[in-house]
Amino acid sequence: MTPTPIPLDILVAHFAGRLAFETDPSDVRADQQDGIPFVLVDSRGDLAWAQGRITGAHHMPTAEIAGRARSEIPRDVPVVTYCWGPGCNGSTRAALEFARLGYQVREMIGGYEYWVREGYPAEDDRGALTSAVDPLTAPLGSISCDC
């Protein structure tokens, strides 16, 4: 199949838009380490949260965002949402809820799954969770793939 050529301005707008609305685990981790202010929101339910979450994340299931966000998260602080992983669009739904409330929000693609697979800090109710870096998802010994 030969694709129909797409005008360059449409291509540029599409990919620029994705970068404006999405982030990934390595960029989120780098921002954390650089002290860039934002709130990382885990939009999963209680059982998922108890199973494990990103260290420092704020738990706010998607169904509760409209009722809780304004009292818990200042509107002038950027929000990053995440859910399970690439097979789940929960972080997209959560980001939409925050956008409807007037927040600057981005979705972390890859979700909790890729955060853990890349070896970044995670925890459960008992404390820190440790996992080795999966060499299929991240370079060993580096926070970034330099892409």
Side-chain angles (χ1 to χ4, degrees):
M1 175 180 143
T2 304
T4 303
I6 300 170
L8 293 179
D9 60 329
I10 293 173
L11 282 171
V12 169
H14 170 77
F15 291 110
R18 287 192 61 186
L19 291 172
F21 304 128
E22 298 174 352
T23 188
D24 64 27
S26 66
D27 288 341
V28 169
R29 183 63 181 147
D31 286 352
Q32 285 178 330
Q33 291 182 317
D34 290 344
I36 295 173
F38 67 96
V39 176
L40 183 61
V41 173
D42 184 320
S43 65
R44 301 171 304 151
D46 293 338
L47 290 175
W49 173 262
Q51 183 174 324
R53 65 249 182 198
I54 295 172
T55 301
H58 187 86
H59 186 221
M60 190 175 297
T62 300
E64 299 175 12
I65 292 170
R68 290 177 47 196
R70 287 188 176 117
S71 66
E72 296 178 28
I73 301 172
R75 280 211 358 206
D76 62 343
V77 176
V79 172
V80 174
T81 62
Y82 76 89
C83 200
W84 272 114
C88 176
N89 66 3
S91 59
T92 306
R93 283 184 261 125
L96 176 58
E97 288 300 310
F98 277 103
R100 285 178 172 152
L101 295 172
Y103 287 86
Q104 290 296 311
V105 61
R106 294 173 79 190
E107 174 185 14
M108 186 179 80
I109 61 173
Y112 178 69
E113 175 189 349
Y114 275 76
W115 181 272
V116 171
R117 291 178 73 185
E118 293 182 26
Y120 301 136
E123 63 186 34
D124 63 15
D125 292 341
R126 294 174 303 237
L129 298 172
T130 306
S131 63
V133 174
D134 181 343
L136 296 176
T137 64
L140 300 175
S142 175
I143 194 170
S144 170
C145 61
D146 290 330
C147 58

